Amino acid sequence: MEYLNKEVILKSYPQGIPQDQDFQILDTKVSDALNPGEVLIKNLFMSVDPYMRGRMTGRRSYVDPFPLGEALTGGAVGRVIASQRADLPVGSLVNHFSGWRNYFVAANDRSDLKKLPEISGLTPEIWLGTLGMPGMTAYVGLLKIANLKSNQRVFVSGAAGAVGMLVGQIAKIKGCYVVGSCGSDEKASYLKDELGFDQVINYKKAPIRDQLAKVAGEGFDVYFDNIGGDHLEAALDFMKDFGHIAACGAISQYNATKSVAGPANLMQIVAKRLTVSGFIVSDHSELHDEFVRDMSGWLREGLIKDRTTMFYGIDQAVSAFRGLFLGENTGKALVNLEN
Amino acid sequence: MEYLNKEVILKSYPQGIPQDQDFQILDTKVSDALNPGEVLIKNLFMSVDPYMRGRMTGRRSYVDPFPLGEALTGGAVGRVIASQRADLPVGSLVNHFSGWRNYFVAANDRSDLKKLPEISGLTPEIWLGTLGMPGMTAYVGLLKIANLKSNQRVFVSGAAGAVGMLVGQIAKIKGCYVVGSCGSDEKASYLKDELGFDQVINYKKAPIRDQLAKVAGEGFDVYFDNIGGDHLEAALDFMKDFGHIAACGAISQYNATKSVAGPANLMQIVAKRLTVSGFIVSDHSELHDEFVRDMSGWLREGLIKDRTTMFYGIDQAVSAFRGLFLGENTGKALVNLEN
């Protein structure tokens, strides 16, 4: 039997915010006539993440650029619908890196393909968000990289994003005072009223530094930076001595078409004896089991709330991705590919 | 008996490079009629250091601003010439923080006043340079903050300065490959031919990034930053993954009269998983004994060479200080106050 498949091809490296014409949806067919060791997977959900923008350039970053003319890749959750592998029978829920398509055949040497446990009360797509890469990024960045302690004061930028939302909630679990920044009043209310952030600022309303000055109090022990640019500059001015900055990303820069100057106050790093640590979650896989244990426990206890902005159908994948840079999504942005 | 004393007063906070008119030399008299517990000290050498510029502003940095209308302070070495303290008899060599003057009376509650050992072969002024604050800054920054390992690749900016010169030499002792930057061909030759730096670039000859590209090879494990600005930006592009930047200072910024934008490539901190650590040597006094033991050993073995740009007489103190920012000094800048 053959399945009608669609996959998203990268046609050109975007200049600035990615546009529809940088992508193309290709119709293909995928057969269930498998060789030994192969499985046929139907994707249920695919992830769009800001780091993917960094791969849509001709320059090598910490991962290779996406090749032009080929289907994009990224985190996804699917179900095995035909199998020549005893360990992955039909019906298995799997996590893998072949997003941006409906169906695909995976050979038996696929190291990214992992069978997921089916835990009652947990949706399959949670493995792309709270129990997936964004959740682990928040967990590792806050607890390992920034070495957060109970009762510290934390500032997180991009606080309504997939990672930021979890950073704030983990910090609250640890008894910290949490200030977040986001780009709309609606998001700000959600973070404060639903997730228990202590203070939230809408950076679109007034200069971030002025707003941060009003809520910083004695300053921050930890800044979790998803944004870079003016957020980083403001945060530097309100760090406490010996504070720690976990540098997770700089979404404010990802679509820059020309060089954007950095903060003018980096001397604060010396004066305040700050440590700024860049990190990438995939370097810390030794913490994965501990992360899943803690995070699934927090979810069960209701200490962590999950939130998703869901798009439907692979035709919406590019819109979902663009939305990351337009501030349109709250929480984890996913594309539902079930139908 | 009374001694004719001169001391350097800060008249106004400099705008840009400090000018003669920002300072005033005051004539006073100091008497040897001491109260119990007091000692009278004649200064032999005083230190001028870049960090002092940070105290010549109305803004609080990590230390309080120098008050206007009062004598400046800073590291100095002197000799006790009258004493009411049994532990500091006449003739004792002492290290203290009352530089920028010829004579002063120290009460017995002076925590900065320390008796120095007289070690044959070591000049008194070495306690202001190689065995003093600059030496310990190099030692702590390289070995503790940047956690330097044998055979790593090191870049140090301001390499002909008091700290940078020692950073390079310590790194060579540890078997590292060392690249330095400085501001004249004469300094570059000295660093390479006399101190054994592997490569030295003169940043005044061509853009620092272009020159660094030619000598960076596989990149740097450690960057010891004394300069900030374009040096930091260039270094970020040539760090190896998981590299460490010891942020010691940013002399390129100290005299800025308006806000100077920072590096445009801070995203390298994330992409390369760098750690940037600001530090101030006075936070690490627990390492002082270890530092003196190691550094004096290296001096004895001829593994570290000491170099000083000496100015003579307190009337030259402001010139010595200005020279720090004009690139005029090589090695430690000191003012000889013996006569």
Side-chain angles (χ1 to χ4, degrees), chain A residues 1-3 30-35 38 40 81-84 105:
Chain A
M1 172 175 176
E2 283 195 325
Y3 294 86
V30 176
S31 164
D32 66 356
L34 300 175
N35 295 313
E38 289 182 342
L40 171 62
I81 59 171
S83 177
Q84 291 289 334
V105 172

Side-chain angles (χ1 to χ4, degrees), chain A residues 259-260 262-264 271 273-274 276 278 283, chain B residues 259-260 262-264 273-274 276 278 283:
Chain A
S259 174
V260 181
R273 296 82 125 188
L274 305 179
V276 183
D283 294 326
Chain B
S259 173
V260 182
R273 297 82 125 186
L274 305 178
V276 183
D283 294 327

Side-chain angles (χ1 to χ4, degrees), chain A residues 127-141:
Chain A
W127 298 99
L128 298 174
T130 301
L131 282 175
M133 184 272 282
M136 182 145 162
T137 300
Y139 182 91
V140 167

Side-chain angles (χ1 to χ4, degrees), chain B residues 210-252:
Chain B
D210 297 348
Q211 293 192 75
L212 205 54
K214 290 181 189 147
V215 296
E218 65 194 86
F220 299 106
D221 301 283
V222 167
Y223 170 47
F224 193 107
D225 189 17
N226 291 307
I227 304 288
D230 59 350
H231 276 76
L232 176 57
E233 184 165 88
L236 285 167
D237 278 346
F238 297 105
M239 293 300 288
K240 287 161 77 166
D241 285 355
F242 305 103
H244 208 130
I245 296 177
C248 179
I251 202 170
S252 67

Side-chain angles (χ1 to χ4, degrees), chain A residues 64-285:
Chain A
D64 287 327
F66 287 121
L68 292 178
E70 294 186 17
L72 292 163
T73 56
V77 165
R79 204 171 284 284
V80 174
I81 59 171
S83 177
Q84 291 289 334
R85 272 178 69 168
D87 60 333
L88 288 178
V90 169
S92 298
L93 193 67
V94 289
N95 190 357
H96 57 80
F97 215 66
S98 288
W100 298 90
R101 72 201 72 196
N102 295 110
Y103 297 91
F104 71 106
V105 172
N108 66 355
D109 61 351
R110 285 279 298 247
S111 62
D112 62 319
L113 190 65
K114 299 220 161 58
K115 190 168 176 179
L116 287 169
E118 304 223 28
I119 300 175
S120 84
L122 297 184
T123 59
E125 65 268 30
I126 204 159
W127 298 99
L128 298 174
T130 301
L131 282 175
M133 184 272 282
M136 182 145 162
T137 300
Y139 182 91
V140 167
L142 204 52
L143 303 182
K144 174 163 172 167
I145 303 297
N147 199 20
L148 184 79
K149 307 287 182 214
S150 297
N151 303 312
Q152 289 191 321
R153 298 171 63 84
V154 178
F155 173 48
V156 53
S157 57
V163 173
M165 204 175 62
L166 295 168
V167 167
Q169 292 184 84
I170 295 170
K172 287 309 300 176
I173 289 170
K174 298 292 178 185
C176 293
Y177 184 87
V178 179
V179 174
S181 72
C182 63
S184 81
D185 286 347
E186 193 200 337
K187 290 176 182 178
S189 300
Y190 174 70
L191 295 174
K192 219 170 154 180
D193 301 342
E194 299 293 322
L195 301 188
F197 280 59
D198 295 284
Q199 295 284 347
V200 182
I201 58 188
N202 173 355
Y203 69 85
K204 290 187 178 159
K205 280 189 137 168
I208 179 81
R209 195 187 179 290
D210 297 349
Q211 295 192 74
L212 206 53
K214 290 182 190 148
V215 296
E218 65 194 88
F220 299 106
D221 301 284
V222 167
Y223 170 47
F224 193 108
D225 188 17
N226 292 308
I227 304 289
D230 60 350
H231 276 77
L232 176 57
E233 184 165 88
L236 284 167
D237 278 346
F238 297 106
M239 293 300 288
K240 287 161 76 167
D241 285 355
F242 305 104
H244 207 131
I245 296 178
C248 179
I251 202 170
S252 67
Q253 319 290 308
Y254 292 174
N255 295 294
T257 50
K258 52 186 180 180
S259 174
V260 181
N265 59 347
L266 291 182
M267 186 60 198
Q268 294 281 27
I269 295 174
V270 182
K272 296 182 174 181
R273 296 82 125 188
L274 305 179
T275 301
V276 183
S277 304
F279 74 103
I280 295 175
V281 66
S282 53
D283 294 326
H284 302 275
S285 51

